PDB file of all heavy atoms in Angstrom:
ATOM      1  N   THR F 230     105.501 104.101 108.475  1.00  0.00           N
ATOM      2  CA  THR F 230     105.764 103.798 109.885  1.00  0.00           C
ATOM      3  C   THR F 230     105.599 102.307 110.149  1.00  0.00           C
ATOM      4  O   THR F 230     106.393 101.702 110.892  1.00  0.00           O
ATOM      5  CB  THR F 230     104.818 104.612 110.788  1.00  0.00           C
ATOM      6  OG1 THR F 230     105.019 106.002 110.526  1.00  0.00           O
ATOM      7  CG2 THR F 230     105.099 104.348 112.258  1.00  0.00           C
ATOM      8  N   GLU F 231     104.593 101.687 109.526  1.00  0.00           N
ATOM      9  CA  GLU F 231     104.401 100.245 109.677  1.00  0.00           C
ATOM     10  C   GLU F 231     105.575  99.464 109.077  1.00  0.00           C
ATOM     11  O   GLU F 231     106.034  98.467 109.650  1.00  0.00           O
ATOM     12  CB  GLU F 231     103.093  99.817 109.019  1.00  0.00           C
ATOM     13  CG  GLU F 231     101.850 100.265 109.769  1.00  0.00           C
ATOM     14  CD  GLU F 231     100.570  99.993 108.983  1.00  0.00           C
ATOM     15  OE1 GLU F 231     100.628  99.208 108.006  1.00  0.00           O
ATOM     16  OE2 GLU F 231      99.530 100.567 109.349  1.00  0.00           O
ATOM     17  N   LEU F 232     106.059  99.911 107.922  1.00  0.00           N
ATOM     18  CA  LEU F 232     107.217  99.253 107.310  1.00  0.00           C
ATOM     19  C   LEU F 232     108.428  99.347 108.230  1.00  0.00           C
ATOM     20  O   LEU F 232     109.180  98.378 108.395  1.00  0.00           O
ATOM     21  CB  LEU F 232     107.544  99.901 105.959  1.00  0.00           C
ATOM     22  CG  LEU F 232     106.552  99.681 104.830  1.00  0.00           C
ATOM     23  CD1 LEU F 232     106.968 100.488 103.603  1.00  0.00           C
ATOM     24  CD2 LEU F 232     106.459  98.202 104.471  1.00  0.00           C
ATOM     25  N   ALA F 233     108.636 100.520 108.822  1.00  0.00           N
ATOM     26  CA  ALA F 233     109.753 100.703 109.751  1.00  0.00           C
ATOM     27  C   ALA F 233     109.622  99.755 110.930  1.00  0.00           C
ATOM     28  O   ALA F 233     110.600  99.109 111.352  1.00  0.00           O
ATOM     29  CB  ALA F 233     109.805 102.155 110.227  1.00  0.00           C
ATOM     30  N   ALA F 234     108.407  99.644 111.480  1.00  0.00           N
ATOM     31  CA  ALA F 234     108.173  98.761 112.628  1.00  0.00           C
ATOM     32  C   ALA F 234     108.391  97.292 112.260  1.00  0.00           C
ATOM     33  O   ALA F 234     108.778  96.484 113.110  1.00  0.00           O
ATOM     34  CB  ALA F 234     106.756  98.968 113.154  1.00  0.00           C
ATOM     35  N   ASP F 235     108.176  96.961 110.977  1.00  0.00           N
ATOM     36  CA  ASP F 235     108.369  95.579 110.515  1.00  0.00           C
ATOM     37  C   ASP F 235     109.832  95.253 110.217  1.00  0.00           C
ATOM     38  O   ASP F 235     110.144  94.133 109.818  1.00  0.00           O
ATOM     39  CB  ASP F 235     107.531  95.321 109.258  1.00  0.00           C
ATOM     40  CG  ASP F 235     106.040  95.254 109.555  1.00  0.00           C
ATOM     41  OD1 ASP F 235     105.684  95.116 110.746  1.00  0.00           O
ATOM     42  OD2 ASP F 235     105.229  95.357 108.608  1.00  0.00           O
ATOM     43  N   GLY F 236     110.716  96.247 110.363  1.00  0.00           N
ATOM     44  CA  GLY F 236     112.140  95.972 110.183  1.00  0.00           C
ATOM     45  C   GLY F 236     112.693  96.245 108.801  1.00  0.00           C
ATOM     46  O   GLY F 236     113.820  95.838 108.498  1.00  0.00           O
ATOM     47  N   MET F 237     111.937  96.949 107.939  1.00  0.00           N
ATOM     48  CA  MET F 237     112.453  97.295 106.622  1.00  0.00           C
ATOM     49  C   MET F 237     113.576  98.315 106.758  1.00  0.00           C
ATOM     50  O   MET F 237     113.460  99.274 107.512  1.00  0.00           O
ATOM     51  CB  MET F 237     111.322  97.884 105.762  1.00  0.00           C
ATOM     52  CG  MET F 237     111.762  98.423 104.407  1.00  0.00           C
ATOM     53  SD  MET F 237     112.493  97.164 103.319  1.00  0.00           S
ATOM     54  CE  MET F 237     111.010  96.223 102.884  1.00  0.00           C
ATOM     55  N   THR F 238     114.671  98.090 106.048  1.00  0.00           N
ATOM     56  CA  THR F 238     115.770  99.054 106.034  1.00  0.00           C
ATOM     57  C   THR F 238     115.381 100.206 105.116  1.00  0.00           C
ATOM     58  O   THR F 238     115.033  99.998 103.958  1.00  0.00           O
ATOM     59  CB  THR F 238     117.058  98.395 105.519  1.00  0.00           C
ATOM     60  OG1 THR F 238     117.284  97.181 106.246  1.00  0.00           O
ATOM     61  CG2 THR F 238     118.259  99.315 105.727  1.00  0.00           C
ATOM     62  N   MET F 239     115.430 101.440 105.653  1.00  0.00           N
ATOM     63  CA  MET F 239     114.906 102.580 104.917  1.00  0.00           C
ATOM     64  C   MET F 239     115.828 103.780 105.046  1.00  0.00           C
ATOM     65  O   MET F 239     116.329 104.076 106.128  1.00  0.00           O
ATOM     66  CB  MET F 239     113.505 102.948 105.454  1.00  0.00           C
ATOM     67  CG  MET F 239     112.473 101.862 105.245  1.00  0.00           C
ATOM     68  SD  MET F 239     110.994 101.998 106.335  1.00  0.00           S
ATOM     69  CE  MET F 239     110.341 103.586 105.844  1.00  0.00           C
ATOM     70  N   LEU F 240     116.038 104.454 103.922  1.00  0.00           N
ATOM     71  CA  LEU F 240     116.693 105.761 103.885  1.00  0.00           C
ATOM     72  C   LEU F 240     115.643 106.738 103.382  1.00  0.00           C
ATOM     73  O   LEU F 240     115.168 106.616 102.249  1.00  0.00           O
ATOM     74  CB  LEU F 240     117.916 105.735 102.966  1.00  0.00           C
ATOM     75  CG  LEU F 240     118.729 107.040 102.892  1.00  0.00           C
ATOM     76  CD1 LEU F 240     119.429 107.316 104.223  1.00  0.00           C
ATOM     77  CD2 LEU F 240     119.770 106.965 101.774  1.00  0.00           C
ATOM     78  N   VAL F 241     115.259 107.688 104.222  1.00  0.00           N
ATOM     79  CA  VAL F 241     114.087 108.522 103.957  1.00  0.00           C
ATOM     80  C   VAL F 241     114.476 109.995 103.944  1.00  0.00           C
ATOM     81  O   VAL F 241     114.953 110.524 104.957  1.00  0.00           O
ATOM     82  CB  VAL F 241     112.993 108.292 105.023  1.00  0.00           C
ATOM     83  CG1 VAL F 241     111.747 109.114 104.686  1.00  0.00           C
ATOM     84  CG2 VAL F 241     112.648 106.814 105.145  1.00  0.00           C
ATOM     85  N   VAL F 242     114.282 110.641 102.803  1.00  0.00           N
ATOM     86  CA  VAL F 242     114.424 112.096 102.696  1.00  0.00           C
ATOM     87  C   VAL F 242     113.034 112.689 102.870  1.00  0.00           C
ATOM     88  O   VAL F 242     112.118 112.356 102.108  1.00  0.00           O
ATOM     89  CB  VAL F 242     115.011 112.493 101.329  1.00  0.00           C
ATOM     90  CG1 VAL F 242     114.984 114.013 101.154  1.00  0.00           C
ATOM     91  CG2 VAL F 242     116.432 111.969 101.187  1.00  0.00           C
ATOM     92  N   THR F 243     112.851 113.530 103.876  1.00  0.00           N
ATOM     93  CA  THR F 243     111.516 114.047 104.149  1.00  0.00           C
ATOM     94  C   THR F 243     111.582 115.351 104.924  1.00  0.00           C
ATOM     95  O   THR F 243     112.583 115.661 105.568  1.00  0.00           O
ATOM     96  CB  THR F 243     110.688 113.013 104.942  1.00  0.00           C
ATOM     97  OG1 THR F 243     109.345 113.492 105.092  1.00  0.00           O
ATOM     98  CG2 THR F 243     111.273 112.759 106.325  1.00  0.00           C
ATOM     99  N   HIS F 244     110.487 116.104 104.844  1.00  0.00           N
ATOM    100  CA  HIS F 244     110.301 117.280 105.691  1.00  0.00           C
ATOM    101  C   HIS F 244     109.312 116.983 106.813  1.00  0.00           C
ATOM    102  O   HIS F 244     108.965 117.896 107.570  1.00  0.00           O
ATOM    103  CB  HIS F 244     109.775 118.458 104.860  1.00  0.00           C
ATOM    104  CG  HIS F 244     110.821 119.082 103.982  1.00  0.00           C
ATOM    105  ND1 HIS F 244     111.950 119.697 104.479  1.00  0.00           N
ATOM    106  CD2 HIS F 244     110.910 119.174 102.632  1.00  0.00           C
ATOM    107  CE1 HIS F 244     112.674 120.147 103.480  1.00  0.00           C
ATOM    108  NE2 HIS F 244     112.074 119.832 102.340  1.00  0.00           N
ATOM    109  N   GLU F 245     108.871 115.734 106.910  1.00  0.00           N
ATOM    110  CA  GLU F 245     107.869 115.378 107.919  1.00  0.00           C
ATOM    111  C   GLU F 245     108.559 115.089 109.248  1.00  0.00           C
ATOM    112  O   GLU F 245     109.070 114.000 109.490  1.00  0.00           O
ATOM    113  CB  GLU F 245     107.053 114.168 107.448  1.00  0.00           C
ATOM    114  CG  GLU F 245     106.261 114.395 106.175  1.00  0.00           C
ATOM    115  CD  GLU F 245     105.209 115.477 106.340  1.00  0.00           C
ATOM    116  OE1 GLU F 245     104.720 115.682 107.477  1.00  0.00           O
ATOM    117  OE2 GLU F 245     104.881 116.135 105.331  1.00  0.00           O
ATOM    118  N   MET F 246     108.557 116.086 110.125  1.00  0.00           N
ATOM    119  CA  MET F 246     109.270 115.961 111.393  1.00  0.00           C
ATOM    120  C   MET F 246     108.636 114.917 112.310  1.00  0.00           C
ATOM    121  O   MET F 246     109.323 114.249 113.064  1.00  0.00           O
ATOM    122  CB  MET F 246     109.314 117.316 112.111  1.00  0.00           C
ATOM    123  CG  MET F 246     110.050 118.408 111.342  1.00  0.00           C
ATOM    124  SD  MET F 246     111.783 118.018 111.011  1.00  0.00           S
ATOM    125  CE  MET F 246     111.730 117.870 109.229  1.00  0.00           C
ATOM    126  N   GLY F 247     107.300 114.783 112.218  1.00  0.00           N
ATOM    127  CA  GLY F 247     106.635 113.790 113.056  1.00  0.00           C
ATOM    128  C   GLY F 247     107.099 112.382 112.727  1.00  0.00           C
ATOM    129  O   GLY F 247     107.332 111.567 113.632  1.00  0.00           O
ATOM    130  N   PHE F 248     107.262 112.095 111.436  1.00  0.00           N
ATOM    131  CA  PHE F 248     107.762 110.774 111.036  1.00  0.00           C
ATOM    132  C   PHE F 248     109.187 110.580 111.530  1.00  0.00           C
ATOM    133  O   PHE F 248     109.534 109.508 112.039  1.00  0.00           O
ATOM    134  CB  PHE F 248     107.709 110.616 109.513  1.00  0.00           C
ATOM    135  CG  PHE F 248     108.301 109.322 109.029  1.00  0.00           C
ATOM    136  CD1 PHE F 248     107.566 108.152 109.067  1.00  0.00           C
ATOM    137  CD2 PHE F 248     109.612 109.273 108.568  1.00  0.00           C
ATOM    138  CE1 PHE F 248     108.111 106.948 108.647  1.00  0.00           C
ATOM    139  CE2 PHE F 248     110.168 108.079 108.141  1.00  0.00           C
ATOM    140  CZ  PHE F 248     109.406 106.912 108.181  1.00  0.00           C
ATOM    141  N   ALA F 249     110.018 111.610 111.399  1.00  0.00           N
ATOM    142  CA  ALA F 249     111.402 111.507 111.852  1.00  0.00           C
ATOM    143  C   ALA F 249     111.458 111.223 113.346  1.00  0.00           C
ATOM    144  O   ALA F 249     112.240 110.374 113.810  1.00  0.00           O
ATOM    145  CB  ALA F 249     112.162 112.790 111.525  1.00  0.00           C
ATOM    146  N   ARG F 250     110.640 111.899 114.116  1.00  0.00           N
ATOM    147  CA  ARG F 250     110.613 111.678 115.572  1.00  0.00           C
ATOM    148  C   ARG F 250     110.175 110.262 115.913  1.00  0.00           C
ATOM    149  O   ARG F 250     110.724 109.621 116.801  1.00  0.00           O
ATOM    150  CB  ARG F 250     109.623 112.646 116.228  1.00  0.00           C
ATOM    151  CG  ARG F 250     110.064 114.087 116.358  1.00  0.00           C
ATOM    152  CD  ARG F 250     108.923 114.848 117.025  1.00  0.00           C
ATOM    153  NE  ARG F 250     109.102 116.281 117.049  1.00  0.00           N
ATOM    154  CZ  ARG F 250     109.672 116.955 118.042  1.00  0.00           C
ATOM    155  NH1 ARG F 250     110.163 116.317 119.087  1.00  0.00           N
ATOM    156  NH2 ARG F 250     109.761 118.273 117.994  1.00  0.00           N
ATOM    157  N   GLN F 251     109.151 109.792 115.197  1.00  0.00           N
ATOM    158  CA  GLN F 251     108.496 108.535 115.564  1.00  0.00           C
ATOM    159  C   GLN F 251     109.223 107.300 115.041  1.00  0.00           C
ATOM    160  O   GLN F 251     109.329 106.292 115.745  1.00  0.00           O
ATOM    161  CB  GLN F 251     107.055 108.541 115.036  1.00  0.00           C
ATOM    162  CG  GLN F 251     106.255 107.298 115.369  1.00  0.00           C
ATOM    163  CD  GLN F 251     104.840 107.361 114.810  1.00  0.00           C
ATOM    164  OE1 GLN F 251     104.438 108.353 114.192  1.00  0.00           O
ATOM    165  NE2 GLN F 251     104.065 106.306 115.017  1.00  0.00           N
ATOM    166  N   ALA F 252     109.706 107.362 113.803  1.00  0.00           N
ATOM    167  CA  ALA F 252     110.147 106.140 113.129  1.00  0.00           C
ATOM    168  C   ALA F 252     111.659 106.031 112.940  1.00  0.00           C
ATOM    169  O   ALA F 252     112.171 104.936 112.711  1.00  0.00           O
ATOM    170  CB  ALA F 252     109.464 106.023 111.768  1.00  0.00           C
ATOM    171  N   ALA F 253     112.388 107.159 113.015  1.00  0.00           N
ATOM    172  CA  ALA F 253     113.820 107.110 112.701  1.00  0.00           C
ATOM    173  C   ALA F 253     114.627 106.468 113.828  1.00  0.00           C
ATOM    174  O   ALA F 253     114.349 106.690 115.009  1.00  0.00           O
ATOM    175  CB  ALA F 253     114.346 108.518 112.439  1.00  0.00           C
ATOM    176  N   ASP F 254     115.613 105.674 113.432  1.00  0.00           N
ATOM    177  CA  ASP F 254     116.641 105.247 114.384  1.00  0.00           C
ATOM    178  C   ASP F 254     117.716 106.311 114.500  1.00  0.00           C
ATOM    179  O   ASP F 254     118.257 106.544 115.583  1.00  0.00           O
ATOM    180  CB  ASP F 254     117.267 103.919 113.924  1.00  0.00           C
ATOM    181  CG  ASP F 254     116.261 102.784 113.953  1.00  0.00           C
ATOM    182  OD1 ASP F 254     115.731 102.498 115.052  1.00  0.00           O
ATOM    183  OD2 ASP F 254     115.982 102.207 112.896  1.00  0.00           O
ATOM    184  N   ARG F 255     118.013 106.944 113.363  1.00  0.00           N
ATOM    185  CA  ARG F 255     118.978 108.055 113.363  1.00  0.00           C
ATOM    186  C   ARG F 255     118.488 109.142 112.427  1.00  0.00           C
ATOM    187  O   ARG F 255     117.814 108.868 111.429  1.00  0.00           O
ATOM    188  CB  ARG F 255     120.360 107.579 112.889  1.00  0.00           C
ATOM    189  CG  ARG F 255     121.129 106.764 113.915  1.00  0.00           C
ATOM    190  CD  ARG F 255     122.550 106.482 113.438  1.00  0.00           C
ATOM    191  NE  ARG F 255     122.551 105.677 112.231  1.00  0.00           N
ATOM    192  CZ  ARG F 255     123.544 105.660 111.343  1.00  0.00           C
ATOM    193  NH1 ARG F 255     124.607 106.438 111.506  1.00  0.00           N
ATOM    194  NH2 ARG F 255     123.477 104.879 110.281  1.00  0.00           N
ATOM    195  N   VAL F 256     118.843 110.363 112.765  1.00  0.00           N
ATOM    196  CA  VAL F 256     118.563 111.519 111.925  1.00  0.00           C
ATOM    197  C   VAL F 256     119.888 112.039 111.374  1.00  0.00           C
ATOM    198  O   VAL F 256     120.849 112.229 112.125  1.00  0.00           O
ATOM    199  CB  VAL F 256     117.846 112.627 112.722  1.00  0.00           C
ATOM    200  CG1 VAL F 256     117.806 113.918 111.923  1.00  0.00           C
ATOM    201  CG2 VAL F 256     116.435 112.192 113.086  1.00  0.00           C
ATOM    202  N   VAL F 257     119.928 112.230 110.059  1.00  0.00           N
ATOM    203  CA  VAL F 257     121.094 112.821 109.396  1.00  0.00           C
ATOM    204  C   VAL F 257     120.684 114.217 108.942  1.00  0.00           C
ATOM    205  O   VAL F 257     119.723 114.367 108.184  1.00  0.00           O
ATOM    206  CB  VAL F 257     121.527 111.968 108.184  1.00  0.00           C
ATOM    207  CG1 VAL F 257     122.622 112.677 107.389  1.00  0.00           C
ATOM    208  CG2 VAL F 257     121.999 110.595 108.632  1.00  0.00           C
ATOM    209  N   PHE F 258     121.402 115.217 109.408  1.00  0.00           N
ATOM    210  CA  PHE F 258     121.120 116.590 108.979  1.00  0.00           C
ATOM    211  C   PHE F 258     122.188 117.026 108.000  1.00  0.00           C
ATOM    212  O   PHE F 258     123.385 116.996 108.293  1.00  0.00           O
ATOM    213  CB  PHE F 258     121.089 117.547 110.177  1.00  0.00           C
ATOM    214  CG  PHE F 258     120.940 118.992 109.779  1.00  0.00           C
ATOM    215  CD1 PHE F 258     119.772 119.443 109.165  1.00  0.00           C
ATOM    216  CD2 PHE F 258     121.976 119.892 109.963  1.00  0.00           C
ATOM    217  CE1 PHE F 258     119.638 120.765 108.767  1.00  0.00           C
ATOM    218  CE2 PHE F 258     121.853 121.219 109.571  1.00  0.00           C
ATOM    219  CZ  PHE F 258     120.676 121.659 108.980  1.00  0.00           C
ATOM    220  N   MET F 259     121.737 117.399 106.775  1.00  0.00           N
ATOM    221  CA  MET F 259     122.663 117.818 105.731  1.00  0.00           C
ATOM    222  C   MET F 259     122.604 119.323 105.519  1.00  0.00           C
ATOM    223  O   MET F 259     121.547 119.946 105.652  1.00  0.00           O
ATOM    224  CB  MET F 259     122.356 117.093 104.413  1.00  0.00           C
ATOM    225  CG  MET F 259     122.648 115.612 104.453  1.00  0.00           C
ATOM    226  SD  MET F 259     122.570 114.833 102.806  1.00  0.00           S
ATOM    227  CE  MET F 259     124.005 115.575 102.010  1.00  0.00           C
TER     228      MET F 259
END
C-alpha cells in the first residue's frame, strides 16, 4: 500500500479484497 501511495506502477494478482479496495486505481476481473 505504501508503494502504491508512492506512485509505483503495479500489476497485482491477489485475493485480498481490502487491498483492492484501498490501493487499486482499477480492478480487472478475469
Side-chain angles (χ1 to χ4, degrees):
T230 301
E231 288 172 15
L232 291 175
D235 289 345
M237 174 62 72
T238 309
M239 296 160 61
L240 183 68
V241 183
V242 173
T243 185
H244 286 297
E245 298 297 332
M246 298 300 113
F248 176 81
R250 285 180 189 268
Q251 181 180 358
D254 294 300
R255 285 187 297 155
V256 169
V257 173
F258 174 66
M259 292 191 68

